[in-house]
Amino acid sequence: MTSTKTLINLLKNPVSIKTKSQAKQLHAQIFKTLEPNSRFLISRLLFIYNNFNLVHDSLCLLDTLKTPAPPVTWKSIIRCCTQNGLLVESLTCFVRMIGSGVYPDHNVFPSVLKSCTLLVDFRFGESVHACIIRLGVDLDLYTNNALMNMYAQSQNMDIVRKVFEMMPVSDLVSWNTVIVGLARNGLYEEALNIVRQMGNVNLKPDSFTLSSVLPIFADYVDVIKGKEIHGYAIRHGLDANVCIGSSLINMYAKCARVEDSHRLFCLLPVKDAISWNSIIAGCVQNGLFDEGLKFFRQMLIAKIKPRHVSFSSIMPACAHLTTLHLGKQLHGCIIRNGFDDNMFIASSLLDMYAKCGNIRLARCIFDKMDLHDIVSWTAVIMGNALHGNAHDAISLFEQMEKDGVKPNSVAFVAVLTACSHAGLIDKAWSYFNSMTKDYGIAPSFEHYAAVADLLGRAGKLEEAYEFISNMHAGPTENVWLTLLSACRVHKNVELAGKVAEKIFMIDPNNMGAYVILSNTYAAARRWKDAASLRVFMRNKGMKKTPACSWIEVKNKAYAFVAGDKSHPFYHRINEALKELLERMEQEGYVPDTKEVLHDVEEEQKKNLLYYHSERLAIVFGIICTPDGTTIRIIKNLRVCGDCHTAIKFISKIVQREIIVRDNSRFHHFEDGKCSCGDYW
């Protein structure tokens, strides 16, 4: 049996105790051999337990003390609680310590302040600050560093400055804390000024300083200053640091220098999850969606476990590419990694499903979310608006207001878009006026474009012209283009000319305006004017973007253009299309040759309509997928009226849901009807 002397020696110098199990065995021997309630013994045991992070055992042991624990014991257990994330317990022990008459010293306060910061309990932190001043510990370096960090997190930079200025001694951590606090609170110039002042006290910026400053230049889109920091990092041997590397990748990407980001990423000797996330986000933010997906795959191959930010960064790539199969694979990966309850990832997922044509699943994800922020509300409202569910979108917007979530500028764009796609003019005016009156949001070009689109669809072209002309700021070419498109639909040639002039004053080489104006002339059978304009465009080297449609079959995307004969399945598609046309005509389909904007014979007009890109893609989907499979098509231009009618017939004949996303919205065709109600 272990002697009393041996037990006492072990307690005084516990170096031979190597495991948690041995620590508990020592406790058991003491309980059997010595006085179990001895203040000295329990204090020493607490010290040993805390070294092994046995927090719960320490807290239970602390409760057995009949006399106040010494300061060193309290310090040890408070530090242990904070390190192990038991923040409430840490602050509770601090209160018990003071309540027992033991005054904390400078060694206790850094852990207590860290717990306040992590708990975001700044009111308690202010009380701790008062205690620090009363006890005269406000000159301690580590305590002041912890104080500055807490106040920086609470966005109270005035107190951070005061604490920093009154510090008798400061170290690199002190300076970095102030710099980070200023940068995170948007006080960029002051943060940069503090960096310059570091040289006056013979302190050199370290990797933490540089990685804190680089996001400033990223937000400023100041690649010149960013390169200066890069040069400093190279000269001081810090360029291999993974934190600086990730910050540089992010900075170059935000400055639209993705090639530099890519080059820097390849040169990093060690790539962690942060650097992978930086290059993925940089590619996606700059529209390089395929590149972003490639890096994401490489990250998985490199056995780097994706974080929640990894999925939030890559999900928009699937949304923009409308690659539903990849989105579903990512969704499965999210579930396997346990991130499916993350609010930001859930918002990205519902946005992806909505943009990939599956609004039902998008709504299902939204309904399962425990909490909804403005991002998730906006995503689901806009998703329903683009899918033609205008009343659902409006209902969601009103529910958001009832739930106390204040709509932002993007939310109003979403609800105005819903009104536009359903022709709800009075509702739209109500929301447009409410935006400024009730929420103090100044209308942007997107809001004006949405209202102009609404009026244009409803045929109120003159009213739309007056509305745009009276904008507070000068209207952009995109706002005018919205009205010009409406003039083309309603064949208002005179107004189209006036609107086109407005666009050409802003951008004389706007090809979209020339194409729409030419089509407007053709729709009005003014063939000479249309031909003259096309010759003018040809002489200026302008080429019209060809209509193109895409379909995804067995995880592979196929593209079609009008009259496309290059596809290996062309003959099968052609035969199936002829059979389908016969059945459509039997059902009552009559081609609307007015949609053909070429001065050719009537029979040739019919042939041109039959081989529009979306019809080729749909027929390819029919012959390559099992019966009952939903067919999803993406088109880069607006669906023409005749194709819209034809697809309604096709959906009824083949008994399939056909989803077509054109350049403005989704059309869900099923059993001879479309979700837009023929209003688009």
Side-chain angles (χ1 to χ4, degrees):
M1 188 173 179
T2 309
S3 67
T4 301
K5 186 176 180 180
T6 304
L7 289 174
I8 298 297
N9 287 334
L10 281 171
L11 287 169
K12 288 182 177 179
N13 188 25
V15 290
S16 61
I17 301 172
K18 305 293 186 183
T19 65
K20 296 178 180 180
S21 177
Q22 289 176 353
K24 291 186 176 183
Q25 288 174 18
L26 175 62
H27 187 182
Q29 287 293 336
I30 290 170
F31 190 82
K32 290 179 182 179
T33 310
L34 304 175
E35 171 56 47
N37 293 323
S38 165
R39 183 169 181 263
F40 165 76
L41 294 178
I42 292 178
S43 297
R44 293 307 300 169
L45 272 172
L46 280 169
F47 176 78
I48 295 169
Y49 274 176
N50 290 335
N51 282 344
F52 286 108
N53 288 328
L54 292 165
V55 190
H56 293 290
D57 297 278
S58 295
L59 292 171
C60 292
L61 192 57
L62 183 67
D63 291 334
T64 66
L65 266 177
K66 295 181 179 179
T67 56
V72 67
T73 301
W74 286 112
K75 181 196 80 169
S76 177
I77 198 166
I78 289 171
R79 177 181 57 80
C80 188
C81 286
T82 302
Q83 287 179 343
N84 286 276
L86 300 174
L87 309 176
V88 174
E89 289 81 355
S90 173
L91 298 184
T92 302
C93 286
F94 176 73
V95 173
R96 287 178 62 185
M97 177 185 185
I98 295 176
S100 68
V102 178
Y103 292 105
D105 61 10
H106 64 280
N107 293 311
V108 174
F109 287 111
S111 295
V112 175
L113 290 168
K114 184 178 179 180
S115 293
C116 292
T117 305
L118 294 173
L119 278 172
V120 199
D121 191 347
F122 301 123
R123 187 178 294 275
F124 192 94
E126 289 172 355
S127 301
V128 174
H129 190 183
C131 183
I132 289 168
I133 295 171
R134 286 197 303 272
L135 295 174
V137 193
D138 52 323
L139 300 180
D140 176 66
L141 172 65
Y142 302 108
T143 300
N144 281 328
N145 285 345
L147 268 173
M148 288 193 296
N149 182 55
M150 182 193 73
Y151 282 117
Q153 293 289 340
S154 71
Q155 301 181 344
N156 195 336
M157 292 308 299
D158 289 336
I159 297 184
V160 173
R161 294 186 192 94
K162 289 178 182 177
V163 172
F164 183 66
E165 290 166 1
M166 294 176 67
M167 289 174 67
V169 179
S170 58
D171 62 0
L172 190 56
V173 174
S174 314
W175 288 80
N176 283 340
T177 302
V178 177
I179 292 165
V180 171
L182 291 167
R184 285 178 178 170
N185 286 281
L187 303 170
Y188 295 155
E189 290 300 332
E190 193 174 347
L192 294 173
N193 190 42
I194 296 291
V195 176
R196 297 185 191 101
Q197 291 177 25
M198 290 178 72
N200 299 332
V201 293
N202 296 319
L203 280 176
K204 290 184 178 180
D206 64 357
S207 58
F208 191 81
T209 315
L210 299 184
S211 58
S212 302
V213 170
L214 280 166
I216 297 175
F217 301 126
D219 287 345
Y220 275 172
V221 195
D222 191 341
V223 72
I224 303 300
K225 292 280 179 64
K227 280 189 169 185
E228 290 177 11
I229 299 293
H230 192 179
Y232 179 92
I234 293 171
R235 290 192 300 274
H236 291 81
L238 299 172
D239 54 316
N241 181 281
V242 71
C243 292
I244 292 180
S246 299
S247 297
L248 283 167
I249 290 167
N250 180 56
M251 183 275 296
Y252 281 123
K254 286 193 173 178
C255 294
R257 303 285 289 269
V258 192
E259 290 182 3
D260 291 327
S261 292
H262 190 181
R263 193 178 299 112
L264 191 63
F265 177 78
C266 293
L267 290 172
L268 280 177
V270 178
K271 300 174 179 66
D272 64 355
I274 297 174
S275 52
W276 280 102
N277 291 335
S278 297
I279 190 66
I280 291 167
C283 288
V284 174
Q285 288 163 6
N286 284 276
L288 302 174
F289 306 120
D290 288 317
E291 286 290 306
L293 286 166
K294 184 185 78 173
F295 278 117
F296 186 83
R297 292 189 191 98
Q298 289 177 358
M299 180 178 74
L300 297 179
I301 293 169
K303 305 295 183 185
I304 301 294
K305 188 175 181 180
R307 301 181 177 184
H308 66 276
V309 69
S310 311
F311 295 108
S312 297
S313 299
I314 197 59
M315 203 60 69
C318 295
H320 282 87
L321 293 172
T322 60
T323 50
L324 185 60
H325 77 279
L326 280 177
K328 285 182 176 179
Q329 289 176 10
L330 283 172
H331 193 177
C333 193
I334 287 165
I335 293 171
R336 289 193 297 274
N337 283 276
F339 292 129
D340 48 317
D341 59 348
N342 182 286
M343 181 170 65
F344 303 107
I345 290 178
S347 297
S348 296
L349 270 173
L350 78 87
D351 182 60
M352 181 275 296
Y353 278 119
K355 288 178 178 175
C356 289
N358 198 330
I359 190 63
R360 297 186 190 96
L361 193 48
R363 181 60 190 267
C364 182
I365 290 171
F366 178 81
D367 291 339
K368 286 183 178 179
M369 291 174 68
D370 294 327
L371 294 171
H372 299 119
D373 62 354
I374 186 62
V375 176
S376 55
W377 278 110
T378 303
V380 76
I381 293 167
M382 182 60 88
N384 277 281
L386 294 178
H387 282 267
N389 305 329
H391 294 288
D392 286 345
I394 291 168
S395 176
L396 284 162
F397 184 87
E398 292 174 353
Q399 186 61 50
M400 177 181 69
E401 290 182 302
K402 288 177 185 176
D403 288 355
V405 178
K406 184 179 178 181
N408 61 9
S409 176
V410 182
F412 275 105
V413 171
V415 76
L416 287 171
T417 301
C419 294
S420 174
H421 287 168
L424 304 174
I425 297 175
D426 292 339
K427 270 279 187 186
W429 280 124
S430 173
Y431 287 127
F432 187 79
N433 294 326
S434 169
M435 185 170 59
T436 306
K437 182 181 176 182
D438 300 328
Y439 295 101
I441 300 172
S444 68
F445 296 122
E446 288 83 358
H447 302 108
Y448 280 102
V451 175
D453 184 51
L454 166 77
L455 296 172
R457 288 174 192 270
K460 297 179 178 293
L461 303 180
E462 294 294 342
E463 187 177 339
Y465 184 85
E466 289 299 318
F467 174 72
I468 296 172
S469 300
N470 293 326
M471 282 176 61
H472 298 302
T476 64
E477 55 196 277
N478 288 332
V479 178
W480 284 119
L481 274 169
T482 300
L483 179 56
L484 186 59
S485 296
C487 292
R488 144 78 184 96
V489 172
H490 294 284
K491 301 179 178 61
N492 190 326
V493 180
E494 184 181 348
L495 185 59
K498 288 171 61 179
V499 173
E501 286 179 11
K502 297 283 188 181
I503 296 171
F504 297 142
M505 287 174 62
I506 302 170
D507 180 8
N509 297 313
N510 191 301
M511 189 180 71
Y514 282 111
V515 171
I516 296 171
L517 185 59
S518 170
N519 289 343
T520 306
Y521 287 143
R525 300 299 185 264
R526 288 174 53 171
W527 303 116
K528 288 184 179 179
D529 291 328
S532 175
L533 199 54
R534 284 172 184 161
V535 170
F536 175 79
M537 290 170 61
R538 195 179 305 119
N539 291 338
K540 293 196 73 172
M542 294 180 177
K543 290 185 178 180
K544 178 183 175 183
T545 303
C548 187
S549 297
W550 293 265
I551 183 172
E552 193 178 290
V553 176
K554 296 179 181 178
N555 299 341
K556 185 177 179 181
Y558 296 87
F560 294 87
V561 295
D564 192 356
K565 297 182 180 181
S566 63
H567 197 279
F569 279 32
Y570 170 72
H571 293 295
R572 285 185 62 188
I573 294 170
N574 193 38
E575 287 300 317
L577 185 57
K578 286 180 180 178
E579 291 179 15
L580 197 56
L581 286 171
E582 288 180 9
R583 294 181 64 185
M584 288 164 59
E585 288 173 350
Q586 289 171 6
E587 292 285 338
Y589 165 68
V590 178
D592 182 5
T593 54
K594 292 178 183 177
E595 291 289 343
V596 179
L597 304 178
H598 297 281
D599 189 12
V600 293
E601 295 296 327
E602 194 72 12
E603 195 61 34
Q604 192 175 349
K605 287 182 179 181
K606 289 181 181 179
N607 286 328
L608 289 171
L609 285 174
Y610 292 160
Y611 293 98
H612 274 191
S613 63
E614 55 265 54
R615 301 196 200 190
L616 296 174
I618 289 169
V619 172
F620 177 70
I622 291 170
I623 64 178
C624 291
T625 58
D627 291 344
T629 304
T630 298
I631 295 172
R632 290 181 170 85
I633 305 295
I634 304 157
K635 186 174 181 182
N636 62 336
L637 303 177
R638 187 178 188 270
V639 175
C640 78
D642 184 70
C643 282
H644 190 270
T645 302
I647 299 170
K648 287 196 294 182
F649 277 98
I650 294 171
S651 70
K652 185 177 181 180
I653 291 168
V654 300
Q655 289 295 294
R656 300 224 204 172
E657 181 184 16
I658 302 172
I659 301 172
V660 179
R661 175 184 174 179
D662 65 10
N663 63 351
S664 64
R665 64 170 296 159
F666 283 89
H667 296 266
H668 292 251
F669 299 91
E670 195 167 12
D671 196 28
K673 297 177 183 177
C674 181
S675 58
C676 72
D678 296 339
Y679 184 90
W680 91 101

